[in-house]
Amino acid sequence: MISALNRLVDLVEEHLTAEIDVTGAARALGTTEYHLRRMFSSLAGMPLSEYVRRRRMTVAAADVVRGEDDLLTIGVRYGYGSTEAFGRAFRAVHGVGPGDVRRDGGPLRTQPQLRFRLTVEGSIPVDTRIVDRPAFRLIGHATRVPLIHQGVNPHIQRHVTALPAEEHQRLKELGDIEPGGLLQVTDDVDPDAVEGTELTYLHGVAVARDTSVPDDLDSIEAPAGTWAVFRTAGPYPQKLQQAWAATASEWFPSNPWRLRPGPSIVAILDRAADFSTATCELWLPVEPS
């Protein structure tokens, strides 16, 4: 995976003035676009699309400062159809417009070329198991919320607390397969995992494919396949969010698995009364890499 990500970075450099065929690149690297984008955003701390934009504007800034071409020519070179579109992208990266930089020589914000390296970590074993599951359903109450990487998501919190106590109990009684108990399900996540993009969040339970589902509940299909299950315990949600990050930085680079499209599931196995600490299982859909 580390080698694939570095090759992707090289492809970005080779195509700064052209479109990058990420799907074709992933295929050539022996992986999928979905997994490649998710791993890139998790490890780089930014989506691939944002990195490409920053690198293009870093190199474009040198062309602007040199002053050999007009701004429209430079903009078209880097994929923008007008000076206005180029100016917006340039300003988003550098904080000033290309005209100001041409006149004053700066200020400029450089995006260095990324290089991924596998560091020696993993001294603490990750409690993981691999399970094969037939197709099942996730049923409960769903809503659309923005993606937030750190801390409690207030949109999810409001959605869950708005449900009456008896509804939580009803859901628990409907669950009939593993993962057991009340579940936190995320689906339709942007492959680049951009902060603020919308995803589907479902508060519910897992049921067998042939279980009758009440009409007032939402449903997400979980196709048959393999799941990697990671157990965490400690401060909530910090430990859980750290586990999400560690799957990308430690587990996937050192194991012959990759993410496949599908819902991600968090099962709360045990928790403090105030939810300050919890024992959780994180279920991620995977396939052999």
Side-chain angles (χ1 to χ4, degrees), residues 239-277:
K239 277 289 186 180
L240 179 61
Q241 290 169 337
Q242 290 169 10
W244 275 91
T247 62
S249 62
E250 299 180 34
W251 195 80
F252 280 110
S254 56
N255 286 276
W257 301 96
R258 66 188 179 201
L259 283 169
R260 59 181 172 88
S264 301
I265 305 168
V266 173
I268 308 297
L269 306 181
D270 188 30
R271 68 179 181 88
D274 62 357
F275 227 139
S276 59
T277 62

Side-chain angles (χ1 to χ4, degrees), residues 71-77 79-89 98:
L71 296 181
L72 178 58
T73 299
I74 297 173
V76 170
R77 180 180 303 148
Y80 297 90
S82 67
T83 52
E84 291 79 10
F86 174 59
R88 285 193 297 270

Side-chain angles (χ1 to χ4, degrees), residues 23 34 39 62 79 88 92 121 152 161 168 172 202 207 222 234 237 240 249 269 271 273-274:
T23 302
Y34 181 84
M39 292 299 100
R88 285 193 297 270
E121 296 178 346
V152 175
T161 55
H168 297 287
K172 284 183 181 179
L202 181 138
V207 298
L240 179 61
S249 62
L269 306 181
R271 68 179 181 88
D274 62 357

Side-chain angles (χ1 to χ4, degrees), residues 5-286:
L5 290 170
N6 284 326
R7 180 56 187 141
L8 179 61
V9 168
D10 292 339
L11 287 172
V12 170
E13 294 302 306
E14 294 166 11
H15 294 82
L16 286 177
T17 59
E19 285 299 313
I20 302 171
D21 180 8
V22 182
T23 302
R27 190 182 305 114
L29 293 169
T31 187
T32 64
E33 179 181 359
Y34 181 84
H35 183 70
L36 196 62
R37 285 185 180 275
R38 289 292 294 270
M39 292 299 100
F40 186 97
S41 63
S42 295
L43 293 175
M46 72 181 92
L48 175 61
S49 56
E50 175 64 14
Y51 174 70
V52 171
R53 184 175 64 129
R54 291 186 188 183
R55 281 299 298 153
R56 282 178 174 160
M57 292 303 99
T58 294
V59 178
D63 293 350
V64 170
V65 171
R66 277 196 293 267
E68 297 174 359
D69 298 307
D70 60 68
L71 296 181
L72 178 58
T73 299
I74 297 173
V76 170
R77 180 180 303 148
Y78 292 97
Y80 297 90
S82 67
T83 52
E84 291 79 10
F86 174 59
R88 285 193 297 270
F90 193 95
R91 191 174 291 105
V93 172
H94 297 291
V96 294
D100 299 321
V101 168
R102 173 155 286 183
R103 183 184 65 247
D104 302 328
L108 296 172
R109 297 172 184 162
T110 299
Q111 171 61 60
Q113 182 177 345
L114 288 178
R115 186 56 54 183
F116 295 92
R117 293 185 175 87
L118 184 62
T119 59
V120 179
E121 296 178 346
S123 57
I124 300 175
V126 179
D127 187 356
T128 313
R129 59 193 174 100
I130 304 296
V131 296
D132 289 315
R133 294 295 310 282
F136 61 96
R137 284 194 177 96
L138 297 154
I139 63 170
H141 297 277
T143 186
R144 297 288 288 176
V145 299
L147 174 63
I148 295 176
H149 288 295
Q150 297 294 328
V152 175
N153 188 317
H155 307 277
I156 292 176
Q157 194 173 45
R158 283 194 296 269
H159 173 67
V160 175
T161 55
L163 298 173
E166 57 269 23
E167 184 61 15
H168 297 287
Q169 186 58 41
R170 179 175 77 122
L171 289 172
K172 284 183 181 179
E173 293 170 357
L174 288 171
D176 57 14
I177 60 169
E178 192 185 28
L182 289 174
L183 308 175
Q184 303 170 356
V185 182
T186 55
D187 197 21
D188 300 324
V189 179
D190 183 276
D192 286 329
V194 179
E195 180 99 5
T197 54
E198 282 201 333
L199 56 87
T200 297
Y201 174 83
L202 181 138
H203 179 76
V205 294
V207 298
R209 191 73 179 276
D210 57 357
T211 297
S212 178
V213 179
D215 293 337
D216 64 331
L217 296 182
D218 301 301
S219 178
I220 294 175
E221 299 295 322
T226 303
W227 298 77
V229 184
F230 306 87
R231 180 177 288 237
T232 69
Y236 181 88
Q238 293 86 351
K239 277 289 186 180
L240 179 61
Q241 290 169 337
Q242 290 169 10
W244 275 91
T247 62
S249 62
E250 299 180 34
W251 195 80
F252 280 110
S254 56
N255 286 276
W257 301 96
R258 66 188 179 201
L259 283 169
R260 59 181 172 88
S264 301
I265 305 168
V266 173
I268 308 297
L269 306 181
D270 188 30
R271 68 179 181 88
D274 62 357
F275 227 139
S276 59
T277 62
T279 300
C280 310
E281 281 190 342
L282 170 61
W283 288 59
L284 297 180
V286 298

